[in-house]
Amino acid sequence: MCGIVGAVGCRQLRSYLIDGLKTLEYRGYDSSGLAFSHEEAPLIYRIPGRVHLLEEMVPLSLEAGIGIGHTRWATHGAPTETNAHPHISHSGLFTLVHNGVIDNYRALHQMLSDLGYQFNTETDTEVIANLIEHNYKQMGDVLKALRQSMKMLEGSYALVIIHQGDDERLFFAKNHSPLLIGHGPDANFLASDYLPMLKHVKDFYALTDHQFGYISKDEVAVFDLPGNSKAKISYHQTDLTSEDINLEGYPHYMLKEIEEADNVIRHLIDNYHDGRNYLFNPKLLDTITASDQLIFLACGTSYHACLIGKRYLEALGKRVDVYIASEWAYYPVITGKNPLFIIVSQSGETADLIHCVKNIKQYKFPLLTITNTKGSTLDREANFTLLLFAGIEIAVASTKAYVAQVTLLALLAAALKGDSQLIPDLYHVIEALKKVIDMKSKFEKIADFLATKENAFYLGRGFDYDVSLEASLKLKEITYIHSEGLPGGELKHGPIALIDKDTPVIIFVSDSLTALPIRSNLQEVLARGAHVIVISSQSLAKGKDAIVVPDVPVHLSVLPKVMVAQYLAYYTALKRGANIDKPRNLAKSVTVE
């Protein structure tokens, strides 16, 4: 959530900032803004709304040497023009954009108000602007003021700052929220993600916590807190390309990413199996084997993937616990003497997980990060990292990342077990996914019915219950239909009271062990007038089942089943006229708690 861009020396600064913000729209936002350096005062453009509306406000003829931009996902204050970034300090000395949340902003607000500083917004960001101005007036040096301000701020922040009167330098500071430098021969750039800078530079530096400094046209200066020591900069490159964000003829990123699932599985096989052996770090496998407790921490879709991973690793005799990160961060539970923590995050920048890492570091227990983003905060903090190799995921609702997470956890479990059968089984899954893609006309027909409803239920048992949770989340996220995922046996312990005429109840049938009881649950809801939609595996199918998918091993059945659920959510949202790739109130990368 929220996005930052900035540059010094860029020949087409207006285009870079606007196009850069457009590449960050997938992160989720509700207002946007730009600021350009100018002789008397910065030129500021802000709007509650999308970047294309902001673009219309900015003159094509505008020229400046320094500029910053921001997409804001509201935390403090409503998404209004006044609260939109960039924000300017009391006397106009500093203009800045900010990602993150300042925990002690109320105390700082009061302190600055008592000193005569006036505030025009409801944001914690304006507090930062005034704090830097206050410290600058005391010290007379921007870097000293910035360093002092960082010592006073509590919370998360990525800051990019214009100092009025300095036409050569753009300042920055970073703590917990991601911020990258892009280094070029004739210009330097800042952004909260690689995407805005891909067309301009090849060399990147990921700032670490408590770093600050400035970029100019020809220079990059980074300093570490505490003190004023100059940091050693080691640039790296990324496998991402600007082509990764193209729609390639698809109407929506979500549909494109659903249909990339088969390639995701292939890439994982290629990266973690050489045709004969698994390619996991032997030290990681030894650490898992030696651990007496495996603790998964994740949020949202990643949490649902961890529930599948729990089953895989428990089947090997391991003790496994799965926690929602935002809960464990405040109520940590560790009962093993030699645990391994496994953190799963598509972005690698999830704030709740970063909070968890602080707790883990205190205990000095080993940490494995599973992420799609090399060089992310959670990657850098880990003892071990397993990359998902899923390619960038633009749509806010995660699809192929879930497939990647489940597949990687299956590969990891197979490596621990020495199970070579998984590889042909995964190729079997790939073929099943291709057949699911060919069923789109059936999904559209079901979506015609779902689109008219405001409530729905998903039922399953075992692996099918786990995929019901993810299926329900997808429907909620992009259609705004209220939905629940339930274990089939729990239906009669309360939720069946919500079933009435034509209530959609979607049932997964993948396991012969529970096929009979889940179909008994089917009869229970039919008797209450529900509209039942059965999604079954071929060998367990009955004549009236709505969707029948090819058989795959039960422990991999979630992969074709979740694709069906993703399609149903997609087509239902399409028929309801929802903003599929950018659903309301949601963000792709949740960088605040």
Side-chain angles (χ1 to χ4, degrees):
M1 55 181 60
C2 301
I4 286 176
V5 291
V8 181
C10 180
R11 292 181 181 178
Q12 296 179 322
L13 182 61
R14 178 188 181 277
S15 294
Y16 164 68
L17 296 178
I18 291 172
D19 292 345
L21 290 181
K22 287 179 179 179
T23 69
L24 295 173
E25 287 186 298
Y26 77 98
R27 296 170 69 94
Y29 71 105
D30 39 43
S31 62
S32 52
L34 297 170
F36 299 88
S37 60
H38 193 260
E39 291 180 1
E40 297 180 359
L43 302 174
I44 297 177
Y45 305 88
R46 302 185 302 195
I47 191 168
R50 296 295 179 184
V51 175
H52 73 272
L53 299 174
L54 176 70
E55 182 178 10
E56 295 173 1
M57 299 173 62
V58 184
L60 288 170
S61 59
L62 189 148
E63 293 185 5
I66 295 176
I68 58 178
H70 192 262
T71 51
R72 175 180 184 252
W73 191 82
T75 55
H76 297 77
T80 62
E81 187 277 332
T82 300
N83 289 330
H85 298 211
H87 288 303
I88 191 165
S89 64
H90 175 73
S91 301
L93 290 177
F94 295 95
T95 302
L96 60 81
V97 291
H98 164 223
N99 284 357
V101 174
I102 303 304
D103 297 333
N104 63 333
Y105 85 101
R106 293 186 185 278
L108 293 172
H109 188 290
Q110 185 62 54
M111 179 196 79
L112 292 164
S113 295
D114 292 344
L115 292 170
Y117 286 83
Q118 295 181 358
F119 292 84
N120 300 308
T121 78
E122 304 169 76
T123 69
D124 54 347
T125 302
E126 191 181 13
V127 172
I128 304 172
N130 282 335
L131 180 65
I132 295 172
E133 179 177 294
H134 170 69
N135 287 325
Y136 176 74
K137 287 180 177 179
Q138 304 297 311
M139 299 176 172
D141 181 271
V142 178
L143 289 175
K144 290 180 180 178
L146 193 50
R147 183 173 67 248
Q148 179 61 26
S149 299
M150 291 172 71
K151 291 178 180 178
M152 299 172 70
L153 292 170
E154 298 174 7
S156 58
Y157 51 84
L159 304 172
V160 181
I161 308 155
I162 295 174
H163 176 218
Q164 183 60 28
D166 191 333
D167 293 328
E168 297 184 355
R169 296 185 294 176
L170 188 59
F171 295 86
F172 58 82
K174 190 266 187 197
N175 188 43
H176 298 317
S177 293
L179 191 61
L180 295 162
I181 295 172
H183 176 53
D186 302 312
N188 285 301
F189 303 81
L190 287 158
S192 52
D193 200 328
Y194 291 100
L195 298 183
M197 302 184 285
L198 289 176
K199 293 181 180 179
H200 301 270
V201 295
K202 295 181 179 179
D203 295 324
F204 301 93
Y205 176 69
L207 291 160
T208 59
D209 288 346
H210 306 296
Q211 287 192 322
F212 66 103
Y214 63 85
I215 58 172
S216 67
K217 181 177 180 293
D218 304 310
E219 184 184 8
V220 174
V222 180
F223 303 91
D224 291 317
L225 277 182
N228 197 27
S229 58
K230 202 162 187 177
K232 182 180 179 181
I233 299 175
S234 178
Y235 292 109
H236 67 273
Q237 297 186 343
T238 176
D239 294 333
L240 291 174
T241 68
S242 56
E243 286 72 32
D244 289 328
I245 59 175
N246 291 336
L247 275 166
E248 298 177 3
Y250 282 90
H252 300 94
Y253 284 108
M254 183 178 179
L255 183 60
K256 174 177 178 281
E257 289 157 11
I258 290 171
E259 298 189 357
E260 289 174 343
D262 58 340
N263 282 329
V264 167
I265 296 173
R266 285 192 188 92
H267 290 156
L268 284 166
I269 294 172
D270 290 344
N271 279 280
Y272 291 105
H273 196 271
D274 64 5
R276 293 184 299 174
N277 301 302
Y278 290 100
L279 302 176
F280 293 96
N281 183 342
K283 188 174 180 181
L284 168 61
L285 300 182
D286 290 343
T287 301
I288 295 173
T289 300
S291 298
D292 61 355
Q293 184 186 19
L294 303 177
I295 302 175
F296 280 100
L297 298 170
C299 310
T301 288
S302 297
Y303 170 77
H304 297 154
C306 291
L307 296 174
I308 306 294
K310 172 182 168 72
R311 293 185 189 273
Y312 291 160
L313 294 169
E314 283 180 335
L316 303 181
K318 302 299 296 184
R319 177 185 171 184
V320 187
D321 295 292
V322 183
Y323 294 99
I324 295 171
S326 57
E327 287 294 303
W328 193 91
Y330 292 95
Y331 307 104
V333 178
I334 306 170
T335 56
K337 294 181 179 179
N338 185 31
L340 170 68
F341 286 86
I342 305 174
I343 281 185
V344 184
S345 167
Q346 189 280 140
S347 70
E349 300 291 352
T350 308
D352 292 312
L353 288 166
I354 292 171
H355 187 161
C356 291
V357 169
K358 294 178 186 177
N359 294 337
I360 296 166
K361 292 291 184 182
Q362 291 178 359
Y363 298 111
K364 298 182 179 180
F365 290 130
L367 169 63
L368 164 63
T369 289
I370 296 175
T371 183
N372 200 32
T373 313
K374 185 178 181 180
S376 60
T377 299
L378 293 173
D379 172 26
R380 297 195 305 270
E381 292 285 346
N383 302 96
F384 308 97
T385 295
L386 296 176
L387 295 174
L388 295 170
F389 299 109
I392 189 165
E393 193 176 57
I394 299 291
V396 168
S398 181
T399 52
K400 65 177 180 175
Y402 175 87
V403 172
Q405 289 164 353
V406 170
T407 302
L408 179 52
L409 289 167
L411 287 163
L412 180 60
L416 289 162
K417 186 180 179 182
D419 176 17
S420 60
Q421 180 58 39
L422 178 68
I423 303 304
D425 286 345
L426 285 173
Y427 281 113
H428 191 184
V429 169
I430 289 171
E431 293 306 311
L433 295 182
K434 291 179 180 178
K435 292 179 180 178
V436 172
I437 292 173
D438 292 337
M439 299 179 188
K440 284 186 281 191
S441 60
K442 293 184 178 181
F443 306 142
E444 288 193 74
K445 185 176 180 180
I446 296 171
D448 283 331
F449 169 74
L450 291 176
T452 65
K453 303 301 177 183
E454 296 302 326
N455 296 284
F457 296 87
Y458 286 85
L459 299 183
R461 290 174 180 249
F463 285 104
D464 285 337
Y465 165 55
D466 298 337
V467 80
S468 291
L469 294 173
E470 177 59 15
S472 176
L473 178 61
K474 288 285 104 46
L475 196 69
K476 279 184 276 201
E477 282 181 308
I478 65 168
T479 71
Y480 317 139
I481 294 172
H482 171 259
S483 175
E484 290 189 49
L486 297 168
E490 278 296 293
L491 187 68
K492 54 187 170 291
H493 294 287
I496 200 168
L498 299 172
I499 303 297
D500 56 17
K501 181 176 174 53
D502 281 342
T503 300
V505 178
I506 303 163
I507 296 178
F508 293 107
V509 185
S510 304
D511 192 344
S512 60
L513 180 66
T514 53
L516 183 60
I518 195 66
R519 288 194 183 273
S520 295
N521 301 141
L522 181 158
Q523 295 300 322
E524 292 169 351
V525 294
L526 275 178
R528 274 80 182 174
H531 184 106
V532 175
I533 301 164
V534 178
I535 303 167
S536 59
S537 297
Q538 190 167 6
S539 61
L540 300 173
K542 302 290 185 183
K544 293 185 178 180
D545 292 354
I547 301 292
V548 178
V549 303
D551 284 327
V552 299
V554 172
H555 66 287
L556 299 175
S557 62
V558 297
L559 297 173
K561 297 299 194 307
V562 81
M563 179 180 268
V564 173
Q566 292 164 355
Y567 271 126
L568 289 178
Y570 172 81
Y571 283 114
T572 302
L574 189 66
K575 293 175 186 298
R576 287 169 68 94
N579 190 337
I580 292 172
D581 287 335
K582 302 165 193 170
R584 68 190 183 201
N585 303 332
L586 298 180
K588 183 65 178 176
S589 180
V590 184
T591 54
V592 297
E593 291 186 45

